[in-house]
Amino acid sequence: TMNCIFNCKKIQNIEEKLIENIKICQNGTLLINNIAEASSCFQSILVTIILSNEENNILQDVRLITSTNRNLSELARQGRFRQDLYDILSVISIEMPPLKSRKEDIELLIETFLSELDDKKYTISAEALNILQKYDWPGNIRELKNVATQVALSSEDGNILPNLLPSKVRKKNPLLPPNATVTDELYKLAKGLIESGKHIETSM
């Protein structure tokens, strides 16, 4: 069983790559990411593959999932996305609200992200969690994951305190001690990067 992610952005030889990924994903799942960004050529190829499936059986035992952060229904109405492809793909639709609309998930999400970084045990203070839940998260889940990585690298003992949070997150909650400076924060971050051994990966 294989699962693949196929990104619609800047893909050369689209038809060949798509068919290759479909074949790899027999008895698995093929996720086509950023489907709203797909070119008209890609959309046409995908429609052809799906509609001709009964003849060539290329999609046998493949679960096809597409994702987007845009309103496909509206794009189809405007003629900017193929209506027939939208109808084919929207058999089952799951709408995921932005993080700012489901802040009750933040605690579980950041704990999950922290646990995926390393074997170190992290504890988030109630004050830090409160600040995270008050922030609007314009960057959504990805931004939260980046914050989790930053605070983990800055924490020496695994305790996530308010002063470890990025200034943009806590700007409405000035909980830093009066004598704390930007230099202090940069020092802690750099020290955490070096000690973790992840400084090369993180800097990239």
Side-chain angles (χ1 to χ4, degrees), residues 111-131:
E111 287 177 351
T112 299
F113 294 147
L114 290 170
S115 68
E116 292 173 347
L117 291 173
D118 49 50
D119 296 331
K120 190 174 181 179
K121 185 176 181 180
Y122 294 95
T123 302
I124 306 174
S125 71
E127 294 84 358
L129 181 59
N130 183 52
I131 293 174

Side-chain angles (χ1 to χ4, degrees), residues 5 10 12-14 23 52 61 63 70 75 78 87 134 139 151 166 168 172 202:
I5 298 178
K10 299 179 181 180
Q12 302 295 325
N13 303 321
I14 290 178
K23 290 180 178 179
S52 62
D61 298 325
R63 180 189 297 108
R70 303 177 66 185
L75 292 178
Q78 296 173 1
D87 293 337
K134 287 183 177 179
V151 297
K168 64 177 180 179
K172 296 180 181 178
T202 305

Side-chain angles (χ1 to χ4, degrees), residues 146 149 153 193 197-204:
N146 289 341
T149 301
L153 293 172
L193 290 172
K198 296 181 179 180
H199 49 287
I200 296 178
E201 175 186 349
T202 305
S203 64
M204 292 180 64

Side-chain angles (χ1 to χ4, degrees), residues 22-138:
I22 289 174
K23 290 180 178 179
I24 291 174
C25 290
Q26 294 299 314
N27 300 311
T29 300
L30 173 62
L31 168 62
I32 301 180
N33 198 18
N34 297 313
I35 189 65
E37 309 299 326
S39 65
S40 57
C41 176
F42 180 90
Q43 294 180 42
S44 177
I45 291 170
L46 186 56
V47 168
T48 300
I49 289 176
I50 294 174
L51 293 182
S52 62
N53 184 53
E54 292 183 2
E55 298 178 9
N56 56 37
N57 221 21
I58 191 173
L59 284 172
Q60 182 181 11
D61 298 325
V62 176
R63 180 189 297 108
L64 179 63
I65 299 175
T66 61
S67 67
T68 180
N69 59 2
R70 303 177 66 185
N71 189 327
L72 279 189
S73 176
E74 181 61 21
L75 292 178
R77 188 190 67 79
Q78 296 173 1
R80 298 165 59 191
F81 191 85
R82 288 185 60 137
Q83 182 67 52
D84 55 352
L85 180 55
Y86 171 74
D87 293 337
I88 290 170
L89 297 177
S90 59
V91 175
I92 299 177
S93 298
I94 301 175
E95 182 177 349
M96 183 67 70
L99 187 57
K100 66 180 180 180
S101 299
R102 50 191 179 95
K103 293 185 176 181
E104 65 277 5
D105 293 342
I106 288 177
E107 182 175 7
L108 177 59
L109 286 169
I110 196 164
E111 287 177 351
T112 299
F113 294 147
L114 290 170
S115 68
E116 292 173 347
L117 291 173
D118 49 50
D119 296 331
K120 190 174 181 179
K121 185 176 181 180
Y122 294 95
T123 302
I124 306 174
S125 71
E127 294 84 358
L129 181 59
N130 183 52
I131 293 174
L132 292 174
Q133 291 176 331
K134 287 183 177 179
Y135 184 60
D136 283 339
W137 300 104

